[in-house]
Amino acid sequence: MSTGNAMGHFLNEIEKFDDQQAGTQPAWVGTLREFAAERFDQLGFPSTKHEEWRWTNISSVSQGHFAYSAQPANLDEPEILRSALRSALGEVSGPRVVLVNGSFSPALSDLGANIKGLRLLSLAEALEESDPRVEAHLCRYANSNELAFAALNTAFLKDGAVIEIDESACIDAPICIVSLISASKKSDLSLASYPRLLILAGSNSRATVVESTINLGEAESFLNTVSEVVVDEGASLTHVRLQNTNRQNLQVSTLQARLAEQSRYALTTFSLGGALTRNDLTVKLAGPEASCEVNGLCLLQQKQHVDNNVIVDHAVPECTSSQIFKAVLDDESRSIFSGKVIVQPDAQKTFAEQSNRSLLLSDRAESDSRPQLEIYADDVKCSHGATTGSLNEEALFYLRSRGISPETARVLLTEAFAREIADNIELESLREHVLQLLREKLGEDAVEAVA
Amino acid sequence: MLEIKDVHATVGGSEILNGLSLTVNPGEVHAIMGPNGSGKSTLSNVITGRDGYEVTQGSLSFEGKNLLEMPPEIRAREGIFLSFQYPVEIPGVNNTYFLKAALNAKREHHGLEALDAIDFLDLAKEKRELVELDEKLANRNVNEGFSGGEKKRNEIFQMAVLEPKLAILDEVDSGLDIDALRVIAKGINSLRSPERSMILITHYQRLLDYIQPDFIHVLSEGRIVRSGGKELALELEEKGYSWLEKEPAA
């Protein structure tokens, strides 16, 4: 538990928020919020004494002065917006929901109204009209009862994005969710926002969702997101998350996915920005022959800290899961990967693999890897491996012996290590955008090395 | 072109080169032969500037410039090329992309404009044909999954693209069957010119049947103990290296 003071600040914030919402939301939403607020009060912020939080101290969140605000700053200039969207998505184009500080921006969004089989809308709207599908699924997977940050997010349940994909729909264009954080530097309080995403992929549907989060400006902020993903029978969902916030951003994300029979879910997270990022990613394989890939790449510098906590729960037989997490760590950055695979007693014929590889570019960088297998069935194939190393000296010399500068050689070799994760992205415009972001970030290094 | 004078060099504290001197003029092809451990590979590493090889005495100059003051990439841009005995596999780095970057780094060093993708591809195609390197291989990741022969072809392909003034070919024949050796040798011979010098480092006389050197030097215990013309190779073939090892420096 954290100190009473810190909790007091957040509980006050929740109370203020609750007052603001009085009478504006349907009763069932109020009930969800109230329950979550109560649980958050009881759970408190996790401390490093919690096993799951051993490596990540979130006192910068709990002790911070963060205030909920949906008020965007500096958002009236179209050029700023265009360039923000461009840095978030590159050439990726498709229907999009743009959230500014967690609130839906109708002006910046394009809901793709004429795309058959897709219903894309703001969570606020879905709540207002008590969309029955949303009501049936919201808060069913991300557990406010046990997870303090999911409870905190739910206590601020108001807006975000909902993606509903109809049965058998095949959506070619990537569905984009852009989160812009626009904090004002003037205020004594830093900005907190609590967006929420619900993805409902109907049976035998096929779609790609791209989430991109960036800041406008350099002010401090706290972003606490919850995503719930439901992949119905035979559906295939590709989900790519790009986190490229500023170096003052603290982020805690909870994602819970539930996969039905013969469905496929491929989640890839790219952690490039932020001061501190914690991702709790849980995939439950709930129907036979479902498969998931959970991949991630961290590219970190200075004192950036990323903690990926992945749980893949094989609840039924004949499911397949794979996890590949890679980290490139420079300066004093740190990455933590905890990957748990649970194979329930009935989940025979499970195939699960996991790998975690880190490339250390500095003596002061740190990589922690914690693979865990909890296997309660006997006919299963599970593997895991973790490696940590530095750049290959032989390869560096080979490149230099051809005339390539050591800075460029390092960038080439680092990109080679990192790009495996990006190369898995099928959508070309997105793959190119990600590679471009990687190069930009690696290039910063090269420039620094020359200077 | 290359002037090595009384070079002593250490690796991890132990002296491997022990007063080696060698002069290579433009257009000359020199073969350096010698038993294992005589310092052949150390010589190539010292010329190309690999980390961990420390020159404790003597001088190395290339076209009148002090090589010891140049990092490896500058030596390369000045025109020194090493064909590795064991070319490194570099997963994730595209061979064509890497070679274009290398060529353009060299061109920039000489005040020339960078080649664009189209001009580079034309050049690469022409040079690939010299060593019969498959286009698909040339466009894969650097040496990744290449056979021994393919790796050596890729080395000579790179040499053809980079057009060095001095090429050091370290055991270019090792691991090659006779057909592959013929192709590689043909490629190398086609790159001989009055301006381009070569140093062939080899354990076996076999290579010299295919690439005829102007001079042969025998290295032993870090020094050249004997120098001569082509006929020296035949003598070595007959008598082995042991008869030379106790002789005074040439």
Side-chain angles (χ1 to χ4, degrees), chain A residues 5-268:
Chain A
N5 270 349
M7 283 304 289
H9 169 73
F10 278 87
L11 293 172
N12 267 339
E13 279 287 307
I14 292 172
E15 206 167 307
K16 269 200 295 190
F17 178 83
D18 187 46
D19 289 345
Q20 287 166 15
Q21 307 314 313
T24 62
Q25 291 179 321
W28 63 275
V29 179
T31 308
L32 287 172
R33 283 199 289 106
E34 269 165 44
F35 173 75
E38 206 180 298
R39 281 308 291 160
F40 173 68
D41 186 12
Q42 289 158 353
L43 291 164
F45 283 109
S47 79
T48 50
K49 287 179 188 139
H50 291 70
E51 183 58 24
E52 302 289 304
W53 288 84
R54 236 174 94 192
W55 313 99
T56 297
N57 184 336
I58 43 103
S59 62
S60 49
V61 173
S62 61
Q63 307 293 323
H65 293 278
F66 294 100
Y68 170 83
S69 166
Q71 293 306 312
N74 312 321
L75 263 188
D76 34 19
E77 293 175 47
E79 286 103 87
I80 293 180
L81 296 174
R82 267 199 296 273
S83 96
L85 280 179
R86 202 180 153 75
S87 26
L89 292 174
E91 299 288 330
V92 177
S93 94
R96 64 172 185 265
V97 163
V98 178
L99 303 171
V100 179
N101 297 342
S103 293
F104 176 64
S105 164
L108 299 178
S109 301
D110 167 4
L111 301 180
N114 44 19
I115 296 177
K116 222 182 134 204
L118 172 69
R119 184 156 190 257
L120 180 61
L121 70 166
S122 74
L123 180 65
E125 190 188 339
L127 295 181
E128 202 175 312
E129 65 184 41
S130 285
D131 179 316
R133 275 182 88 187
V134 171
E135 197 176 339
H137 290 285
L138 195 70
C139 299
R140 290 294 168 88
Y141 314 99
N143 192 341
S144 292
N145 204 27
E146 286 169 29
L147 301 171
F149 281 99
L152 179 61
N153 171 284
T154 308
F156 287 93
L157 183 61
K158 184 180 182 184
D159 210 346
V162 176
I163 302 171
E164 294 180 41
I165 301 154
D166 288 350
E167 193 182 314
S168 301
C170 183
I171 314 291
D172 293 325
I175 304 159
C176 305
I177 309 294
V178 178
S179 215
L180 302 179
I181 303 166
S182 166
S184 158
K185 279 179 194 167
K186 290 170 203 155
S187 166
D188 295 342
L189 292 169
S190 297
L191 179 119
S193 65
Y194 303 93
R196 197 171 183 110
L197 174 64
L198 178 65
I199 306 177
L200 303 173
S203 56
N204 299 313
S205 66
R206 192 183 170 85
T208 296
V209 173
V210 180
E211 269 185 88
S212 183
T213 307
I214 62 164
N215 286 81
L216 295 171
E218 292 305 315
E220 188 185 42
S221 56
F222 168 52
L223 181 64
N224 177 17
T225 73
V226 170
S227 305
E228 292 174 291
V229 179
V230 181
V231 189
D232 283 345
E233 232 177 87
S236 172
L237 182 67
T238 300
H239 187 179
V240 177
R241 306 174 103 194
L242 276 172
Q243 187 261 13
N244 198 14
T245 50
N246 71 15
R247 300 290 171 90
Q248 304 293 320
N249 175 245
L250 310 170
Q251 180 168 344
V252 180
S253 290
T254 306
L255 179 143
Q256 302 264 334
R258 185 187 170 85
L259 276 61
E261 191 171 342
Q262 290 185 329
S263 66
R264 176 183 171 271
Y265 178 55
L267 171 67
T268 309

Side-chain angles (χ1 to χ4, degrees), chain A residues 394 398 400 402-403 406 413, chain B residues 50 72-73 77 82 155 158:
Chain A
E394 295 278 315
Y398 189 85
R400 291 179 71 188
R402 299 301 185 243
L413 294 176
Chain B
R50 191 178 192 127
E73 61 277 9
R77 293 174 202 170
L82 171 63
E155 294 293 285
Q158 292 175 36

Side-chain angles (χ1 to χ4, degrees), chain B residues 224-238:
Chain B
I224 289 173
V225 293
R226 183 83 180 242
S227 295
K230 279 168 267 185
E231 68 289 347
L232 185 55
L234 299 172
E235 210 171 338
L236 285 169
E237 180 83 338
E238 200 177 308

